[in-house]
Amino acid sequence: MNALSLWTPLLDVLGDAICLLDTDHTVLNCNTATEILVGKRSDEICGQKCWSVFHNLNDMHPDCPFERIKKTLERESSEMQIEDKWYEVLLDPIVDENGKLVSILHTLRSIDDRKRAELEMAKSAERFRSMIDNAPYGAHIYELKGDGQLIFVGANSSADNILGLDNSQFIGKTIEKAFPDLVSTDVPEAYRMVAATGQPYSTESISYSDNQGIVGAFEVCAFQTSPNHMTALFRDITEKKRHEEELKKSNFDTYIERERLAVTLRSIGDGVITTDARGNIVFLNTIAEQMTGWTCAEAIGKPLTEVFYIVNEYTRKPCENPVEKVLKTGLIVELANHTMLITRDNREIILADSGAPIVDETGEIYGVVLVFRDITEKQKILDAMHKAQKLDSLGILAGGIAHDFNNLLGGIFGYIELAMLDNPLPEKARKYLGDSMKVLSRARSLTQQLLTFSKGGTPILKVGALDITVRDAALFALSGSSVSCRFNFKENLWSCE
């Protein structure tokens, strides 16, 4: 049996399309996967040139890797597309004992799923790039190298417009060389942490000035886009800062009063959110930040329902917006019972809340203030108290029933004992009365347990014979029915409690 006769049983079980090629590109043999791939039988494929079978060419491709193998005797690999599917092409030289090339193993392995995934990743990256390029914020993109250097790799057109220069000049430079004035801040290290750990970084204002002409105050938000890669979005808030300074100078007393109010609101133990007349957030105090998961800087300008999302604790349906209710009625309102806040990080907090209008000297409403507090633990205590009260009521009821039932059993006991004292009583009747006494004794034991439960005590456990306990329980359960029990116990059973 030669090597070719072993071809079919060995290679037909493989999913890869495998051919054996002669040194002149002729197909010597192929497996079933190859027949399926090209849609021809083995006898139609063998004897043909490989470029005719797989590429529909009339002659060899000028850059055919087959020719390189003849010189290097090393594996060649490439990728090719047949119709709409992608394959990895592997050419492995087969040499004799003298190192002379005698044939080549040609393998086509499907990489269609991988190529589709790569295409989707490329599309996703392109969409992200398009989003960044069209964003009104400037964007700087960095890559964290293994040696800890943070390299500038790109920017969007908004960054050029905001900074007034071509940011492509910084590509390939470290952040310290691209923007030297940042060295004195915590920004470079913060960016490294973002790229390495994925922990986002934001700051409301960074003042920057260098000899490249970049001057201003910037609000920055940085986030990781992929491992060791991050993007920093920024906007120029110079005019905003200048306006704030002018406002401070022109209306210092009002500014101081507002600051005092803000300090007061930040210091109180309840969460406080203020909105404007459109229901957009103006301020969050520290407690509100902690409870909602939003910082004040992030929440400013957002609709209340985006930051303060409340639902019914039991139905999970969204609750009515308290700010809209205050603006509509002009009155102080309170949240309904069982109102639950769903925080930004999906924590659930039961709230007590009230909202009131903010009015000016003319009585015009120009905003709403919400004051709320976490009553989750308080609610748990109240629920526990309600359960305890229900148990107390149940205990009183059980005690009363057990007491009355015990009195009734006492009377039955007395009459049965009197009946058993009757000497001419038939033996069979005496046996039935004795069994009745046992059942009544068991019933009295149960009423005693009910009385113990009603008083809040713990039943007393006793050690007894297992066979007697099982027998008494079974007979008690079946008393009055037409079912009878047959017992078979081993000797010397363990006692039970």
Side-chain angles (χ1 to χ4, degrees):
M1 182 180 293
N2 57 33
L4 288 179
S5 65
L6 296 174
W7 176 275
T8 300
L10 290 178
L11 299 182
D12 276 355
V13 297
L14 300 178
D16 297 338
I18 301 176
C19 293
L20 190 64
L21 306 180
D22 201 354
T23 55
D24 65 349
H25 300 255
T26 301
V27 179
L28 298 176
N29 212 331
C30 66
N31 67 348
T32 303
T34 304
E35 295 178 323
I36 296 172
L37 176 65
V38 301
K40 296 180 180 180
R41 300 191 310 273
S42 176
D43 57 352
E44 295 176 308
I45 298 173
C46 294
Q48 301 293 319
K49 300 297 185 182
C50 61
W51 59 71
S52 172
V53 174
F54 297 108
H55 303 284
N56 281 329
L57 297 177
N58 296 323
D59 201 355
M60 180 179 68
H61 192 279
D63 191 33
C64 181
F66 198 117
E67 296 302 309
R68 292 196 294 273
I69 288 182
K70 289 181 179 180
K71 298 177 182 179
T72 64
L73 296 181
E74 294 180 354
R75 166 182 274 197
E76 288 281 340
S77 66
S78 60
E79 295 179 357
M80 66 176 291
Q81 190 174 15
I82 300 177
E83 296 181 352
D84 61 342
K85 296 185 180 297
W86 281 92
Y87 296 88
E88 181 182 24
V89 184
L90 299 174
L91 298 177
D92 292 286
I94 301 176
V95 298
D96 60 15
E97 62 274 7
N98 297 318
K100 181 181 179 182
L101 181 70
V102 295
S103 59
I104 288 181
L105 194 66
H106 182 283
T107 304
L108 283 175
R109 179 172 297 148
S110 175
I111 57 171
D112 199 53
D113 290 341
R114 191 188 79 192
K115 293 295 286 187
R116 291 181 189 277
E118 290 175 353
L119 181 61
E120 286 300 318
M121 289 178 63
K123 290 180 179 179
S124 177
E126 182 60 30
R127 287 194 296 268
F128 177 75
R129 181 70 189 184
S130 175
M131 179 183 69
I132 291 298
D133 285 341
N134 295 317
Y137 288 82
H140 282 171
I141 305 171
Y142 293 90
E143 178 182 1
L144 182 63
K145 296 294 186 180
D147 58 1
Q149 289 190 332
L150 193 64
I151 305 300
F152 187 95
V153 296
N156 66 350
S157 56
S158 294
D160 295 344
N161 296 332
I162 292 173
L163 299 182
L165 48 77
D166 184 1
N167 284 263
S168 63
Q169 63 183 293
F170 304 129
I171 294 177
K173 294 182 179 181
T174 64
I175 185 173
E176 290 83 2
K177 289 184 178 179
F179 306 103
D181 199 52
L182 289 179
V183 175
S184 60
T185 71
D186 64 345
V187 172
E189 192 58 35
Y191 283 8
R192 287 185 175 88
M193 290 296 294
V194 171
T197 67
Q199 181 68 33
Y201 166 80
S202 64
T203 180
E204 294 182 15
S205 177
I206 294 177
S207 296
Y208 186 87
S209 176
D210 61 20
N211 56 13
Q212 301 174 104
I214 303 176
V215 179
F218 302 91
E219 181 182 19
V220 178
C221 175
F223 55 92
Q224 186 188 61
T225 53
S226 62
N228 295 322
H229 292 79
M230 55 82 59
T231 296
L233 299 179
F234 60 92
R235 64 169 179 156
D236 188 347
I237 58 171
T238 305
E239 288 301 318
K240 177 183 175 183
K241 297 292 287 185
R242 183 179 295 115
H243 178 71
E244 289 175 354
E245 291 299 325
E246 290 175 354
L247 182 62
K248 289 178 183 178
K249 293 176 182 178
S250 63
N251 200 357
F252 184 74
D253 291 340
T254 303
Y255 175 79
I256 291 298
E257 191 64 30
R258 288 180 178 176
E259 282 297 300
R260 287 174 180 170
L261 176 61
V263 170
T264 302
L265 294 177
R266 291 190 187 100
S267 302
I268 66 176
D270 290 342
V272 178
I273 297 178
T274 59
T275 73
D276 58 22
R278 293 174 297 175
N280 295 326
I281 292 176
V282 175
F283 172 80
L284 274 75
N285 74 344
T286 304
I287 300 299
E289 288 180 328
Q290 295 171 358
M291 292 177 67
T292 63
W294 291 79
T295 65
C296 185
E298 293 172 328
I300 289 176
K302 295 185 180 297
L304 176 73
T305 52
E306 185 175 341
V307 176
F308 189 72
Y309 180 61
I310 51 177
V311 299
N312 183 276
E313 179 185 4
Y314 300 115
T315 66
R316 298 288 171 159
K317 292 182 179 179
C319 296
E320 182 180 2
N321 186 338
V323 169
E324 291 181 354
K325 192 172 181 180
V326 171
L327 293 173
K328 187 184 300 182
T329 63
L331 303 173
I332 297 175
V333 300
E334 293 187 359
L335 288 180
N337 292 333
H338 310 295
T339 297
M340 176 182 288
L341 169 68
I342 307 297
T343 69
R344 191 179 189 181
D345 53 0
N346 290 321
R347 289 178 292 119
E348 298 179 346
I349 302 174
I350 301 174
L351 297 180
D353 171 275
S354 64
I358 303 174
V359 297
D360 59 18
E361 296 85 353
T362 65
E364 188 73 21
I365 297 176
Y366 66 89
V368 176
V369 58
L370 291 178
V371 181
F372 53 94
R373 61 185 181 276
D374 182 353
I375 62 168
T376 305
E377 292 302 321
K378 179 181 178 181
Q379 191 64 42
K380 289 180 180 179
I381 293 172
L382 289 175
D383 290 343
M385 290 174 62
H386 290 158
K387 289 180 181 179
Q389 289 172 356
K390 290 179 180 178
L391 286 175
D392 288 343
S393 299
L394 182 60
I396 294 170
L397 177 62
I401 293 173
H403 189 271
D404 292 342
F405 191 56
N406 200 40
N407 290 338
L408 294 173
L409 289 177
I412 296 172
F413 261 107
Y415 286 121
I416 292 177
E417 287 177 347
L418 289 174
M420 291 181 70
L421 293 177
D422 193 354
N423 290 330
L425 188 68
E427 189 60 33
K428 193 172 184 179
R430 187 178 297 277
K431 179 181 180 301
Y432 288 155
L433 289 174
D435 291 341
S436 298
M437 290 290 285
K438 292 180 180 179
V439 173
L440 289 172
S441 179
R442 177 64 176 166
R444 173 169 280 183
S445 176
L446 288 176
T447 59
Q448 191 62 41
Q449 291 180 30
L450 280 174
L451 285 170
T452 301
F453 166 74
S454 68
K455 296 175 181 178
T458 303
I460 300 174
L461 300 178
K462 295 182 179 181
V463 177
L466 182 60
D467 53 347
I468 296 175
T469 303
V470 172
R471 186 189 304 275
D472 289 346
L475 292 176
F476 178 75
L478 297 175
S479 60
S481 70
S482 59
V483 180
S484 62
C485 290
R486 297 173 65 183
F487 301 98
N488 184 12
F489 298 106
K490 290 184 178 181
E491 295 183 359
N492 299 322
L493 290 176
W494 288 6
S495 298
C496 65
E497 188 176 40

